[in-house]
Coordinates of all heavy atoms in Angstrom, one line a residue:
M113 N -39.5 -8.3 2.7 CA -39.9 -9.1 3.9 C -39.7 -8.2 5.2 O -38.6 -7.7 5.4 CB -39.0 -10.3 3.9 CG -39.3 -11.2 5.0 SD -38.4 -12.8 4.7 CE -37.7 -13.0 6.3
S114 N -40.7 -8.1 6.0 CA -40.5 -7.4 7.2 C -40.7 -8.3 8.4 O -41.6 -9.1 8.4 CB -41.6 -6.2 7.2 OG -42.7 -6.6 7.9
A115 N -39.9 -8.1 9.4 CA -39.9 -8.9 10.6 C -41.0 -8.3 11.5 O -41.3 -7.1 11.5 CB -38.5 -8.8 11.3
T116 N -41.5 -9.2 12.3 CA -42.5 -8.8 13.4 C -41.8 -9.1 14.7 O -41.4 -10.3 14.9 CB -43.8 -9.5 13.2 OG1 -44.3 -9.1 11.9 CG2 -44.8 -9.0 14.3
W117 N -41.8 -8.2 15.6 CA -41.3 -8.4 16.9 C -42.5 -8.6 17.9 O -43.5 -7.9 17.9 CB -40.5 -7.2 17.4 CG -39.3 -7.0 16.5 CD1 -39.2 -6.3 15.3 CD2 -38.0 -7.4 16.8 NE1 -37.9 -6.3 14.9 CE2 -37.1 -7.0 15.8 CE3 -37.4 -8.1 17.9 CZ2 -35.8 -7.3 15.7 CZ3 -36.1 -8.4 17.9 CH2 -35.3 -8.0 16.8
K118 N -42.3 -9.6 18.8 CA -43.4 -10.0 19.7 C -42.8 -10.2 21.1 O -41.8 -10.9 21.2 CB -44.2 -11.2 19.2 CG -45.2 -11.7 20.2 CD -45.9 -12.9 19.6 CE -46.9 -13.5 20.6 NZ -47.5 -14.7 20.1
L119 N -43.5 -9.7 22.1 CA -43.1 -9.8 23.5 C -44.3 -10.2 24.3 O -45.3 -9.6 24.1 CB -42.4 -8.5 24.0 CG -41.8 -8.6 25.3 CD1 -40.5 -7.7 25.3 CD2 -42.7 -8.2 26.4
T120 N -44.2 -11.2 25.1 CA -45.3 -11.6 26.0 C -44.8 -11.5 27.4 O -43.7 -12.0 27.8 CB -45.7 -13.1 25.7 OG1 -46.1 -13.2 24.3 CG2 -46.9 -13.5 26.6
L121 N -45.6 -10.9 28.3 CA -45.3 -10.7 29.7 C -46.5 -11.3 30.5 O -47.6 -11.0 30.3 CB -45.2 -9.2 30.0 CG -45.1 -8.8 31.5 CD1 -43.7 -9.4 32.0 CD2 -45.2 -7.3 31.7
E122 N -46.1 -12.2 31.4 CA -47.1 -12.8 32.3 C -46.9 -12.1 33.7 O -45.8 -11.9 34.2 CB -46.9 -14.3 32.5 CG -48.0 -14.9 33.4 CD -47.9 -16.4 33.4 OE1 -47.1 -17.0 32.7 OE2 -48.7 -17.0 34.2
V123 N -48.0 -11.6 34.2 CA -48.0 -10.8 35.5 C -48.8 -11.5 36.5 O -50.0 -11.9 36.3 CB -48.6 -9.4 35.2 CG1 -48.6 -8.6 36.5 CG2 -47.9 -8.7 34.1
Q124 N -48.2 -11.7 37.7 CA -48.9 -12.2 38.9 C -48.3 -11.5 40.1 O -47.1 -11.5 40.3 CB -48.7 -13.7 39.0 CG -49.4 -14.3 40.2 CD -49.3 -15.8 40.3 OE1 -48.6 -16.4 39.5 NE2 -49.8 -16.4 41.4
S125 N -49.2 -10.9 40.9 CA -48.7 -10.2 42.1 C -48.8 -11.0 43.3 O -49.0 -12.2 43.2 CB -49.6 -8.9 42.2 OG -49.0 -8.1 43.2
T126 N -48.6 -10.4 44.5 CA -48.6 -11.1 45.7 C -49.9 -11.6 46.2 O -50.0 -12.5 47.1 CB -48.0 -10.2 46.8 OG1 -48.8 -9.0 46.9 CG2 -46.6 -9.9 46.6
S127 N -51.0 -11.1 45.6 CA -52.3 -11.5 46.0 C -53.2 -11.4 44.7 O -52.9 -10.7 43.8 CB -52.9 -10.7 47.1 OG -53.2 -9.4 46.6
S128 N -54.3 -12.1 44.7 CA -55.2 -12.1 43.6 C -55.8 -10.6 43.5 O -56.1 -10.2 42.4 CB -56.4 -13.1 43.7 OG -57.1 -12.9 44.9
E129 N -56.0 -10.0 44.6 CA -56.6 -8.6 44.5 C -55.6 -7.7 43.9 O -56.0 -6.8 43.0 CB -56.9 -8.1 46.0 CG -58.0 -8.8 46.6 CD -57.6 -10.1 47.3 OE1 -56.4 -10.4 47.5 OE2 -58.5 -10.9 47.7
N130 N -54.3 -7.8 44.2 CA -53.3 -6.9 43.6 C -53.1 -7.3 42.1 O -52.9 -6.4 41.3 CB -51.9 -7.1 44.3 CG -52.0 -6.4 45.7 OD1 -52.9 -5.7 46.0 ND2 -50.9 -6.5 46.5
T131 N -53.2 -8.6 41.8 CA -53.1 -8.9 40.4 C -54.3 -8.3 39.6 O -54.1 -7.8 38.5 CB -53.1 -10.5 40.2 OG1 -52.0 -11.0 40.9 CG2 -53.0 -10.9 38.8
S132 N -55.5 -8.3 40.2 CA -56.6 -7.7 39.5 C -56.4 -6.2 39.4 O -56.8 -5.7 38.3 CB -57.9 -8.0 40.4 OG -58.2 -9.4 40.3
S133 N -55.8 -5.6 40.3 CA -55.6 -4.1 40.2 C -54.6 -3.8 39.1 O -54.8 -2.9 38.4 CB -55.0 -3.6 41.6 OG -56.0 -3.7 42.6
L134 N -53.6 -4.6 39.0 CA -52.6 -4.4 37.9 C -53.3 -4.7 36.6 O -53.0 -3.9 35.6 CB -51.4 -5.4 38.1 CG -50.5 -5.1 39.3 CD1 -49.5 -6.2 39.5 CD2 -49.8 -3.8 39.1
K135 N -54.1 -5.7 36.5 CA -54.8 -6.0 35.3 C -55.7 -4.8 34.9 O -55.8 -4.4 33.7 CB -55.6 -7.3 35.4 CG -56.4 -7.6 34.1 CD -56.9 -9.0 34.2 CE -57.8 -9.3 35.3 NZ -58.5 -10.6 35.2
A136 N -56.4 -4.3 35.9 CA -57.3 -3.1 35.6 C -56.6 -1.9 35.1 O -57.1 -1.2 34.2 CB -58.1 -2.8 36.9
A137 N -55.4 -1.7 35.6 CA -54.6 -0.6 35.2 C -54.1 -0.7 33.7 O -53.9 0.3 33.0 CB -53.3 -0.5 36.1
M138 N -54.0 -2.0 33.2 CA -53.5 -2.2 31.9 C -54.6 -2.3 30.8 O -54.4 -2.3 29.6 CB -52.7 -3.5 31.8 CG -51.5 -3.5 32.7 SD -50.3 -2.3 32.3 CE -49.7 -2.8 30.7
I139 N -55.9 -2.4 31.3 CA -57.0 -2.8 30.4 C -57.2 -1.8 29.2 O -57.6 -2.2 28.1 CB -58.3 -3.0 31.2 CG1 -59.3 -3.8 30.4 CG2 -58.9 -1.7 31.6 CD1 -59.0 -5.3 30.5
T140 N -56.9 -0.5 29.4 CA -57.1 0.4 28.4 C -55.9 0.5 27.4 O -55.9 1.1 26.4 CB -57.4 1.8 28.9 OG1 -56.3 2.2 29.8 CG2 -58.7 1.8 29.7
D141 N -54.7 0.0 27.9 CA -53.5 0.1 27.1 C -53.2 -1.1 26.1 O -52.5 -0.9 25.1 CB -52.3 0.2 28.0 CG -52.3 1.5 28.8 OD1 -52.9 2.5 28.3 OD2 -51.7 1.6 29.9
C142 N -53.7 -2.2 26.4 CA -53.4 -3.4 25.6 C -54.4 -4.5 25.9 O -55.2 -4.5 26.8 CB -52.0 -3.9 25.9 SG -51.7 -4.2 27.7
E143 N -54.4 -5.5 25.0 CA -55.2 -6.7 25.2 C -54.7 -7.5 26.3 O -53.5 -7.8 26.4 CB -55.3 -7.5 23.9 CG -56.2 -8.6 23.9 CD -56.3 -9.3 22.6 OE1 -56.0 -8.7 21.5 OE2 -56.7 -10.5 22.6
I144 N -55.7 -8.0 27.1 CA -55.3 -8.8 28.3 C -55.7 -10.2 28.0 O -56.8 -10.5 27.5 CB -56.1 -8.3 29.6 CG1 -55.8 -6.8 29.9 CG2 -55.8 -9.2 30.8 CD1 -54.4 -6.5 30.3
I145 N -54.8 -11.1 28.4 CA -55.1 -12.6 28.3 C -55.2 -13.1 29.7 O -54.2 -13.0 30.4 CB -53.9 -13.3 27.5 CG1 -53.8 -12.7 26.1 CG2 -54.2 -14.8 27.4 CD1 -52.4 -13.0 25.5
N146 N -56.4 -13.5 30.1 CA -56.6 -14.1 31.4 C -56.0 -15.5 31.6 O -56.3 -16.3 30.7 CB -58.1 -14.0 31.8 CG -58.6 -12.6 32.0 OD1 -58.0 -11.9 32.7 ND2 -59.6 -12.3 31.3
N147 N -55.3 -15.7 32.6 CA -54.8 -17.0 33.0 C -55.4 -17.3 34.3 O -56.1 -16.5 34.9 CB -53.2 -17.0 33.1 CG -52.6 -16.5 31.7 OD1 -53.0 -16.9 30.7 ND2 -51.6 -15.7 31.8
E148 N -55.1 -18.5 34.8 CA -55.7 -18.9 36.1 C -55.5 -18.0 37.3 O -56.4 -17.5 37.9 CB -55.3 -20.3 36.4 CG -56.1 -20.9 37.6 CD -55.7 -22.4 37.8 OE1 -55.4 -23.1 36.8 OE2 -55.7 -22.8 39.0
K149 N -54.2 -17.7 37.6 CA -53.9 -16.8 38.7 C -53.1 -15.6 38.3 O -52.6 -14.9 39.1 CB -53.1 -17.6 39.7 CG -53.9 -18.7 40.4 CD -53.1 -19.4 41.4 CE -53.9 -20.5 42.1 NZ -53.2 -21.2 43.1
S150 N -53.0 -15.4 37.0 CA -52.3 -14.3 36.5 C -52.9 -13.7 35.2 O -54.0 -14.2 34.8 CB -50.8 -14.8 36.1 OG -50.9 -15.7 35.1
F151 N -52.3 -12.8 34.5 CA -52.7 -12.4 33.2 C -51.5 -12.1 32.4 O -50.4 -11.9 32.9 CB -53.6 -11.1 33.3 CG -52.9 -9.9 33.8 CD1 -52.4 -9.0 32.8 CD2 -52.8 -9.6 35.1 CE1 -51.7 -7.8 33.3 CE2 -52.1 -8.4 35.5 CZ -51.6 -7.5 34.6
S152 N -51.7 -12.1 31.1 CA -50.6 -11.8 30.2 C -50.9 -10.7 29.2 O -52.1 -10.4 29.0 CB -50.3 -13.0 29.3 OG -49.9 -14.1 30.1
I153 N -49.9 -10.0 28.8 CA -50.1 -9.0 27.7 C -49.1 -9.4 26.6 O -48.0 -9.9 26.9 CB -49.9 -7.6 28.2 CG1 -48.5 -7.4 28.8 CG2 -50.9 -7.2 29.2 CD1 -48.1 -5.9 29.0
E154 N -49.5 -9.1 25.4 CA -48.6 -9.3 24.3 C -48.4 -8.0 23.6 O -49.4 -7.2 23.4 CB -49.2 -10.3 23.3 CG -49.1 -11.7 23.7 CD -49.6 -12.7 22.7 OE1 -50.2 -12.3 21.6 OE2 -49.4 -13.9 22.9
I155 N -47.2 -7.7 23.2 CA -46.9 -6.5 22.4 C -46.3 -7.0 21.1 O -45.3 -7.7 21.1 CB -45.9 -5.6 23.2 CG1 -46.4 -5.2 24.6 CG2 -45.6 -4.3 22.4 CD1 -45.4 -4.6 25.4
I156 N -46.9 -6.5 20.0 CA -46.4 -6.9 18.7 C -46.2 -5.6 17.9 O -47.0 -4.8 17.8 CB -47.4 -7.8 17.9 CG1 -47.7 -9.1 18.8 CG2 -47.0 -8.1 16.5 CD1 -48.9 -9.9 18.3
E157 N -44.9 -5.5 17.4 CA -44.6 -4.3 16.6 C -43.7 -4.8 15.4 O -43.1 -5.8 15.4 CB -43.8 -3.3 17.5 CG -44.5 -2.7 18.6 CD -45.6 -1.8 18.2 OE1 -45.5 -1.2 17.1 OE2 -46.6 -1.6 19.0
H158 N -43.7 -3.9 14.4 CA -42.9 -4.2 13.2 C -41.4 -3.7 13.4 O -40.6 -4.2 12.7 CB -43.5 -3.5 12.0 CG -44.8 -4.1 11.6 ND1 -44.9 -5.4 11.1 CD2 -46.1 -3.7 11.7 CE1 -46.2 -5.7 10.9 NE2 -46.9 -4.6 11.3
K159 N -41.2 -2.8 14.3 CA -39.8 -2.3 14.5 C -39.4 -2.6 16.0 O -40.2 -2.4 16.9 CB -39.7 -0.8 14.3 CG -40.0 -0.5 12.8 CD -39.9 1.0 12.6 CE -40.2 1.4 11.2 NZ -40.1 2.8 11.0
A160 N -38.2 -3.0 16.2 CA -37.7 -3.3 17.5 C -37.7 -2.1 18.4 O -38.1 -2.2 19.6 CB -36.3 -3.9 17.4
K161 N -37.4 -0.9 17.9 CA -37.4 0.3 18.7 C -38.8 0.6 19.1 O -39.0 1.1 20.3 CB -36.8 1.5 18.0 CG -37.6 2.0 16.8 CD -36.9 3.2 16.1 CE -37.7 3.7 15.0 NZ -37.2 5.0 14.5
D162 N -39.9 0.3 18.3 CA -41.2 0.5 18.7 C -41.6 -0.4 19.8 O -42.4 -0.1 20.8 CB -42.2 0.4 17.5 CG -42.0 1.6 16.5 OD1 -41.4 2.6 16.9 OD2 -42.4 1.4 15.4
L163 N -41.2 -1.7 19.7 CA -41.5 -2.7 20.7 C -40.8 -2.3 22.1 O -41.5 -2.4 23.1 CB -40.9 -4.1 20.3 CG -41.1 -5.2 21.3 CD1 -42.6 -5.6 21.4 CD2 -40.3 -6.4 20.9
R164 N -39.6 -1.8 22.0 CA -38.9 -1.3 23.2 C -39.7 -0.2 23.9 O -39.9 -0.1 25.1 CB -37.5 -0.9 22.9 CG -36.7 -0.4 24.1 CD -35.4 0.2 23.8 NE -35.6 1.4 22.9 CZ -36.0 2.6 23.4 NH1 -36.2 2.8 24.7 NH2 -36.1 3.6 22.6
A165 N -40.2 0.8 23.1 CA -40.9 1.9 23.6 C -42.2 1.5 24.2 O -42.6 1.9 25.3 CB -41.2 2.9 22.5
M166 N -42.9 0.6 23.6 CA -44.2 0.1 24.1 C -44.0 -0.7 25.4 O -44.7 -0.7 26.4 CB -44.9 -0.8 23.1 CG -45.3 0.0 21.9 SD -46.4 1.4 22.2 CE -47.9 0.6 22.5
W167 N -42.9 -1.5 25.4 CA -42.5 -2.3 26.6 C -42.3 -1.4 27.8 O -42.8 -1.6 28.9 CB -41.3 -3.1 26.3 CG -40.6 -3.7 27.5 CD1 -39.5 -3.2 28.1 CD2 -41.0 -4.9 28.3 NE1 -39.2 -4.0 29.2 CE2 -40.1 -5.0 29.3 CE3 -42.0 -5.8 28.1 CZ2 -40.2 -6.1 30.2 CZ3 -42.1 -6.8 29.1 CH2 -41.2 -7.0 30.1
N168 N -41.4 -0.3 27.6 CA -41.1 0.6 28.6 C -42.4 1.3 29.2 O -42.5 1.4 30.4 CB -40.2 1.7 28.1 CG -38.8 1.2 27.9 OD1 -38.4 0.2 28.5 ND2 -38.0 1.9 27.1
T169 N -43.3 1.7 28.3 CA -44.5 2.3 28.7 C -45.4 1.4 29.6 O -45.9 1.8 30.7 CB -45.4 2.7 27.5 OG1 -44.6 3.7 26.7 CG2 -46.7 3.4 27.9
R170 N -45.5 0.1 29.2 CA -46.3 -0.8 29.9 C -45.7 -1.1 31.3 O -46.3 -1.2 32.3 CB -46.5 -2.2 29.2 CG -47.2 -2.1 27.8 CD -48.5 -1.4 27.9 NE -49.2 -1.3 26.6 CZ -49.1 -0.3 25.8 NH1 -48.4 0.7 26.0 NH2 -49.8 -0.4 24.6
I171 N -44.4 -1.3 31.3 CA -43.7 -1.7 32.5 C -43.7 -0.5 33.5 O -44.0 -0.7 34.7 CB -42.2 -2.1 32.3 CG1 -42.2 -3.4 31.5 CG2 -41.4 -2.1 33.5 CD1 -42.8 -4.6 32.3
R172 N -43.5 0.7 33.0 CA -43.6 1.9 33.9 C -45.0 2.0 34.5 O -45.2 2.4 35.7 CB -43.3 3.1 33.1 CG -41.8 3.2 32.9 CD -41.4 4.5 32.2 NE -40.0 4.6 31.9 CZ -39.5 4.9 30.8 NH1 -40.2 5.3 29.8 NH2 -38.2 4.9 30.6
G173 N -46.0 1.7 33.7 CA -47.4 1.7 34.3 C -47.6 0.7 35.4 O -48.2 1.0 36.4
L174 N -47.1 -0.5 35.1 CA -47.2 -1.6 36.2 C -46.4 -1.2 37.4 O -46.9 -1.4 38.5 CB -46.7 -2.9 35.6 CG -47.6 -3.6 34.6 CD1 -46.8 -4.8 33.9 CD2 -48.9 -4.1 35.2
I175 N -45.2 -0.6 37.2 CA -44.4 -0.2 38.4 C -45.1 0.9 39.2 O -45.2 0.8 40.4 CB -43.0 0.3 37.9 CG1 -42.2 -0.9 37.4 CG2 -42.3 1.0 39.1 CD1 -40.9 -0.6 36.7
A176 N -45.8 1.8 38.5 CA -46.5 2.9 39.2 C -47.6 2.3 40.0 O -47.8 2.7 41.2 CB -47.0 3.9 38.2
V177 N -48.4 1.5 39.4 CA -49.6 0.9 40.1 C -49.1 0.0 41.3 O -49.6 0.1 42.4 CB -50.5 0.1 39.2 CG1 -51.5 -0.7 39.9 CG2 -51.1 1.0 38.2
D178 N -48.1 -0.8 41.1 CA -47.5 -1.6 42.2 C -47.0 -0.7 43.3 O -47.3 -1.0 44.5 CB -46.4 -2.5 41.6 CG -45.9 -3.5 42.6 OD1 -46.8 -4.3 43.1 OD2 -44.7 -3.5 43.0
S179 N -46.3 0.3 43.0 CA -45.8 1.2 44.0 C -47.0 1.9 44.8 O -46.9 2.0 46.1 CB -45.0 2.3 43.4 OG -43.8 1.8 42.8
L180 N -48.0 2.2 44.1 CA -49.2 2.8 44.8 C -49.8 1.8 45.7 O -50.2 2.1 46.9 CB -50.2 3.3 43.8 CG -51.5 3.9 44.3 CD1 -51.2 5.1 45.2 CD2 -52.4 4.2 43.2
M181 N -49.9 0.5 45.3 CA -50.5 -0.5 46.1 C -49.7 -0.8 47.4 O -50.2 -1.0 48.5 CB -50.7 -1.8 45.3 CG -51.8 -1.7 44.3 SD -52.2 -3.3 43.4 CE -50.6 -3.7 42.8
I182 N -48.4 -0.7 47.2 CA -47.5 -0.8 48.4 C -47.7 0.3 49.4 O -47.9 0.0 50.6 CB -46.0 -0.9 48.0 CG1 -45.7 -2.2 47.2 CG2 -45.1 -0.7 49.2 CD1 -44.4 -2.2 46.5
V183 N -47.9 1.5 48.9 CA -48.1 2.6 49.8 C -49.5 2.4 50.5 O -49.6 2.6 51.7 CB -48.1 4.0 49.1 CG1 -48.6 5.1 49.9 CG2 -46.7 4.3 48.6
L184 N -50.5 2.1 49.7 CA -51.9 1.9 50.3 C -51.9 0.7 51.3 O -52.6 0.8 52.3 CB -52.9 1.7 49.2 CG -53.1 2.9 48.3 CD1 -54.1 2.6 47.1 CD2 -53.6 4.1 49.0
D185 N -51.2 -0.3 51.0 CA -51.1 -1.5 51.9 C -50.5 -1.0 53.2 O -50.9 -1.4 54.3 CB -50.4 -2.6 51.3 CG -51.2 -3.4 50.3 OD1 -52.4 -3.2 50.2 OD2 -50.6 -4.2 49.5
G186 N -49.4 -0.2 53.1 CA -48.8 0.3 54.3 C -49.7 1.2 55.1 O -49.7 1.2 56.3
L187 N -50.5 2.0 54.4 CA -51.5 2.8 55.2 C -52.5 2.0 55.9 O -52.9 2.3 57.0 CB -52.2 3.8 54.2 CG -51.3 4.9 53.6 CD1 -52.1 5.7 52.6 CD2 -50.8 5.8 54.7
D188 N -53.0 0.9 55.2 CA -53.9 0.0 55.8 C -53.3 -0.6 57.1 O -54.0 -0.7 58.1 CB -54.4 -1.1 54.9 CG -55.3 -0.6 53.8 OD1 -55.8 0.5 53.9 OD2 -55.5 -1.3 52.8
H189 N -52.1 -1.0 57.0 CA -51.4 -1.7 58.2 C -51.2 -0.7 59.3 O -51.3 -1.0 60.5 CB -50.1 -2.3 57.8 CG -50.3 -3.5 56.9 ND1 -51.5 -4.2 56.8 CD2 -49.5 -4.0 55.9 CE1 -51.3 -5.2 55.9 NE2 -50.1 -5.1 55.3
S190 N -50.8 0.6 59.0 CA -50.6 1.6 60.0 C -51.9 2.0 60.7 O -51.9 2.2 61.9 CB -49.9 2.8 59.4 OG -50.7 3.5 58.5
E191 N -53.0 2.0 59.9 CA -54.3 2.3 60.5 C -54.7 1.1 61.5 O -55.2 1.4 62.6 CB -55.4 2.5 59.5 CG -55.2 3.8 58.7 CD -56.3 3.9 57.6 OE1 -57.1 3.0 57.5 OE2 -56.2 4.8 56.8
D192 N -54.4 -0.1 61.1 CA -54.7 -1.2 61.9 C -53.9 -1.2 63.2 O -54.5 -1.4 64.3 CB -54.4 -2.6 61.2 CG -55.4 -2.8 60.1 OD1 -56.4 -2.2 60.0 OD2 -55.0 -3.7 59.2
S193 N -52.7 -0.9 63.1 CA -51.8 -0.8 64.3 C -52.2 0.3 65.2 O -52.1 0.2 66.4 CB -50.3 -0.8 64.0 OG -50.0 0.4 63.3
S194 N -52.6 1.5 64.6 CA -52.9 2.6 65.5 C -54.3 2.4 66.2 O -54.4 2.8 67.3 CB -53.0 3.9 64.6 OG -54.1 3.8 63.7
T195 N -55.2 1.7 65.6 CA -56.4 1.4 66.2 C -56.3 0.3 67.3 O -57.0 0.3 68.2 CB -57.6 1.1 65.2 OG1 -57.1 -0.1 64.5 CG2 -57.9 2.2 64.3
S196 N -55.4 -0.6 67.1 CA -55.2 -1.6 68.1 C -54.5 -1.2 69.3 O -54.6 -1.8 70.4 CB -54.4 -2.8 67.5 OG -53.1 -2.4 67.2
N197 N -53.8 0.0 69.3 CA -53.2 0.5 70.4 C -54.1 1.4 71.3 O -53.8 1.7 72.4 CB -52.0 1.5 70.0 CG -50.9 0.7 69.4 OD1 -50.7 -0.5 69.7 ND2 -50.1 1.3 68.5
V198 N -55.3 1.6 70.8 CA -56.2 2.4 71.6 C -56.9 1.7 72.7 O -57.1 0.5 72.7 CB -57.3 3.0 70.6 CG1 -58.4 3.8 71.4 CG2 -56.6 3.9 69.6

């Protein structure tokens, strides 16, 4: 008898655009389950250590994309403020 490990993560960002960006970043790595204002991913593995590794990979990907969006949002705001001072 072998156990199956399953983890479900629901993701929703600060805006629908950011949520869509996070979803797009995950589309090649795993199956996406669309929800109304969010999306979910499921990770199913036969070994707990494999589940942990897959979880770490997915979370690191989400963190990287989220960090990039924060930087890009900051650039957009700084461009707005610099043009309004002219």
Side-chain angles (χ1 to χ4, degrees):
M113 181 169 132
S114 90
T116 300
W117 295 84
K118 177 181 174 181
L119 189 143
T120 304
L121 173 67
E122 184 174 353
V123 180
Q124 181 178 359
S125 190
T126 55
S127 69
S128 61
E129 293 84 12
N130 286 354
T131 301
S132 293
S133 296
L134 291 171
K135 181 169 57 172
M138 300 300 294
I139 201 79
T140 60
D141 293 334
C142 54
E143 185 175 336
I144 303 291
I145 302 161
N146 288 310
N147 303 318
E148 189 173 325
K149 294 183 180 183
S150 64
F151 69 94
S152 299
I153 60 170
E154 286 186 351
I155 305 170
I156 302 170
E157 294 292 335
H158 292 289
K159 296 180 181 179
K161 68 178 185 171
D162 292 339
L163 179 70
R164 182 191 59 79
M166 297 303 281
W167 167 259
N168 285 340
T169 300
R170 301 305 183 267
I171 291 300
R172 287 183 183 135
L174 288 170
I175 290 169
V177 172
D178 186 60
S179 296
L180 178 61
M181 289 187 303
I182 289 169
V183 169
L184 294 176
D185 284 346
L187 289 176
D188 286 344
H189 294 334
S190 66
E191 287 176 6
D192 291 343
S193 63
S194 66
T195 57
S196 65
N197 291 333
V198 174

